[in-house]
Amino acid sequence: MMIIMKSNATPQQTEAVIASVKEAGLNVHLSQGVEATIIGAIGETHSIPLERFEGMDGVDVVQRITKPYKLASRQFHPEDSLVPLDGFHVGGEDIAVIAGPCSVEGRSQILETAQAVKEAGASALRGGVFKPRTSPYSFQGLGEEGLELLAEAREKTGLPIVAEIMSQVQVDVMVKYVDVLQVGARNMQNFNLLRAIGETRTAVLLKRGLSASVEELLMSAEYILAGGNNRVMLCERGIRTFETSTRNTTDINAIPVLKSLTHLPVILDPSHSTGYSEFVAAIARAGVAAGADGLIVEVHPDPAKAVSDGRQSLKPEAFAAMVKQVGQIAQVMGRKLATVQGEYSKNGWA
Ligand code: PEP
Ligand code: MN
């Protein structure tokens, strides 16, 4: 941390800041130039707020040199993190393709979709059972019954399952069933939920908030990591902009930006980021070309009848075509699509 003193700061004011830095348990590196005096505060500065020094007499500006998120940063952990899912890892060479309906609607819908996405080359199955709907009158999800159906689909296909958790009261039931806890865009800054998930050791897919900055996303990841759960994947799912021709605007920039700032795997959701099925494959290809470690894509056997997000859901055939294209882009990038290795049984993966 760097504390820059005002040009007219008195020696007493500088001394007082130095004393305060030492009191915070930090070492001091003093640089007295002609124009300005700069006090370098060296040590564990992550937990020390800038305001601690900003309000002191004679202080002009206080700046961090290291990132405010430590555990999530590449500075702290230069190598890519791999998140193990049964059968394969997310991150590294493999590109994960998570696919399935927005919501689990019923037995035949989820089993049919699971089989279709598996055959097309998906490496995990998604399906919401607790749905964050804008209207309280919209379908809210099947709850635990939906989790039972996802578990049945996993048993039949071997695909690990990804489902959204909306509240910390759902932690126990979700951890019992799912392989990946999805934290939705609307809950990215539900700090109590993030802390509760940090206490588990279940993998997490943390989605970027609708109007959250990349730094805010990383600070949210930090909450989970700080609890000791290091199986965190980040997800770009489009942000709100002035553009209305798509549901959201895919922030493709965020992919290489995140990859440079953090060691955590980065997944792209081209379904929510575009909102229209006809644009999903193009943006999926762009995401893999930009360096994404995986995709999460909505697929429904009959999108017109979907209870949520039908307009952006791919039919299984369109999904299969997308996977082929994405596989080719992956090859160009020196990567390949992940394949689930084990057969799932009640005792876990073989
Ligand atoms: C979803 O994945 O269906 C979903 C609700 O996504 P988001 O939180 O990104 O809107
Ligand atoms: Mn959805």
Side-chain angles (χ1 to χ4, degrees):
M1 192 182 281
M2 234 167 44
I3 304 163
I4 303 163
M5 302 300 291
K6 288 181 178 151
S7 55
N8 62 357
T10 65
Q12 289 76 14
Q13 288 170 340
T14 303
E15 276 312 311
V17 173
I18 290 174
S20 178
V21 169
K22 288 183 177 160
E23 211 175 287
L26 303 172
N27 291 322
V28 170
H29 179 272
L30 185 63
S31 152
Q32 251 162 336
V34 188
E35 298 278 327
T37 295
I38 299 172
I39 301 162
I42 300 151
E44 263 310 317
T45 57
H46 289 93
S47 57
I48 298 171
L50 300 183
E51 298 91 75
R52 172 154 183 168
F53 306 112
E54 273 170 349
M56 293 188 76
D57 290 340
V59 171
D60 188 5
V61 276
V62 184
Q63 282 173 353
R64 284 191 195 280
I65 300 166
T66 50
K67 306 289 183 211
Y69 43 90
K70 180 180 178 186
L71 302 175
S73 80
R74 262 211 202 271
Q75 274 174 344
F76 175 75
H77 187 296
E79 318 80 45
D80 282 340
S81 277
L82 303 182
V83 173
L85 285 188
D86 293 87
F88 68 103
H89 285 90
V90 183
E93 195 187 327
D94 288 3
I95 291 180
V97 180
I98 306 162
C102 179
S103 304
V104 177
E105 299 169 8
R107 189 163 182 272
S108 61
Q109 175 245 18
I110 192 65
L111 294 184
E112 195 184 315
T113 312
Q115 201 55 48
V117 299
K118 164 88 195 238
E119 277 164 24
S123 34
L125 175 68
R126 65 151 287 154
V129 299
F130 298 112
K131 295 303 300 177
R133 306 306 299 280
T134 301
S135 164
Y137 309 116
S138 302
F139 175 69
Q140 303 287 309
L142 291 182
E144 188 162 0
E145 185 195 337
L147 290 172
E148 295 271 0
L149 296 174
L150 282 172
E152 188 182 345
R154 173 176 56 196
E155 214 166 310
K156 293 210 154 77
T157 59
L159 295 178
I161 55 181
V162 182
E164 177 166 355
I165 177 165
M166 283 181 58
S167 147
Q168 59 267 48
V169 302
Q170 295 157 356
V171 167
D172 289 346
V173 71
M174 289 291 287
V175 163
K176 196 168 110 193
Y177 288 97
V178 309
D179 301 285
V180 180
L181 296 164
Q182 176 177 322
V183 178
R186 289 152 194 84
N187 268 315
M188 188 201 86
Q189 287 189 318
N190 181 340
F191 299 118
N192 290 329
L193 176 62
L194 300 177
R195 279 195 195 284
I197 289 173
E199 295 300 316
T200 76
R201 294 298 176 264
T202 303
V204 186
L205 181 70
L206 175 64
K207 293 186 118 186
R208 180 180 181 181
L210 277 70
S211 58
S213 66
V214 161
E215 183 163 294
E216 286 164 339
L217 172 60
L218 290 166
M219 293 303 288
S220 290
E222 191 77 8
Y223 266 86
I224 302 170
L225 297 167
N229 184 352
N230 56 17
R231 299 180 169 190
V232 180
M233 301 173 265
L234 304 173
C235 180
E236 163 59 35
R237 47 79 71 207
I239 50 173
R240 281 222 169 139
T241 68
F242 53 83
E243 183 54 71
T244 54
S245 59
T246 48
R247 182 176 181 184
N248 291 291
T249 296
T250 311
D251 184 6
I252 287 283
N253 296 357
I255 299 170
V257 170
L258 282 167
K259 294 295 294 179
S260 73
L261 293 175
T262 181
H263 51 91
L264 301 172
V266 177
I267 308 290
L268 175 68
D269 176 344
S271 306
H272 292 84
S273 79
T274 60
Y276 296 95
S277 54
E278 56 271 40
F279 306 134
V280 168
I283 300 307
R285 298 194 300 268
V288 173
D293 299 298
L295 299 166
I296 177 163
V297 180
E298 288 186 342
V299 179
H300 194 284
D302 188 357
K305 296 213 179 85
V307 300
S308 59
D309 289 349
R311 188 63 188 84
Q312 68 194 30
S313 298
L314 296 179
K315 289 187 179 155
E317 312 81 76
F319 173 70
M322 186 211 84
V323 172
K324 281 210 179 78
Q325 296 169 352
V326 162
Q328 287 178 319
I329 304 279
Q331 238 179 355
V332 172
M333 301 301 298
R335 304 176 82 174
K336 63 179 175 53
L337 299 186
T339 44
V340 181
Q341 255 124 55
E343 284 293 310
Y344 185 78
S345 74
K346 281 214 166 61
N347 305 319
W349 271 261

